[in-house]
Amino acid sequence: MRISEVSRLSGVPASTLRYYERIGLIASDRELNGYRDYDAEVIDRLALVDGAKQLDLSLPEIAELLRAVDGDTCTQVRESLRPRLAKRLSEVDDRLAILQRLRDRLLAASRRVDACPDSGDQCRTECMLMRERPCEPRPSRSGIGR
């Protein structure tokens, strides 16, 4: 298959196919005219690359996985993949915990912003973003309340 057909069938742009070939993720033969000639198995290989990318594996990790797929048994590949997936899962759990804390802080800040009273005075945004309770109206400069 020519690169345009592989691109059409896989949904992978030709520029990406050339890059994948340069870094060794896929391979092609060259015809006498210099055109790349891919075998039909490249579609399955690209599907594996896409699946690994969706798991947020890096291209070097994917290359290592492909080397294992090419030379090891299914059991060996599984045993090689298992710790990588566990590590990625742990990293995702850590990121989710950080994002949950951020979400909680954003919700609290949003509640404080909503609770701030209308005022014609200069805004004191620190009361919205730093305090745990809604801001209190600031006494006027004359000493008389609003």
Side-chain angles (χ1 to χ4, degrees), residues 37-127:
D37 183 34
Y38 295 93
D39 62 30
E41 292 176 9
V42 74
I43 302 300
D44 290 336
R45 193 166 181 93
L46 289 168
L48 181 60
V49 169
D50 183 58
K53 284 176 60 179
Q54 289 183 30
L55 297 175
D56 204 27
L57 296 178
S58 68
L59 290 179
E61 288 172 314
I62 293 170
E64 194 175 319
L65 173 63
L66 290 172
R67 282 190 296 277
V69 167
D70 290 341
D72 294 340
T73 67
C74 286
T75 301
Q76 290 170 317
V77 171
R78 181 191 67 209
E79 295 308 312
S80 169
L81 195 53
R82 198 178 266 162
R84 288 185 190 135
L85 295 178
K87 179 182 178 220
R88 297 301 293 147
L89 188 57
S90 176
E91 291 168 354
V92 167
D93 286 341
D94 291 345
R95 284 194 302 201
L96 284 172
I98 290 167
L99 288 172
Q100 184 61 51
R101 285 191 299 272
L102 174 59
R103 185 180 192 285
D104 293 344
R105 285 191 297 264
L106 288 167
L107 280 172
S110 181
R111 284 190 213 105
R112 288 192 299 273
V113 166
D114 290 344
C116 280
D118 289 335
S119 171
D121 291 340
Q122 183 177 358
C123 183
R124 298 180 329 173
T125 57
E126 71 276 2
C127 68

Side-chain angles (χ1 to χ4, degrees), residues 3 14-30 36-38 46:
I3 196 167
S15 59
T16 302
L17 293 172
R18 286 188 287 274
Y19 176 68
Y20 284 176
E21 188 171 345
R22 231 181 3 263
I23 65 172
L25 297 183
I26 61 173
S28 70
D29 294 323
R30 292 291 182 140
R36 289 174 170 85
D37 183 34
Y38 295 93
L46 289 168

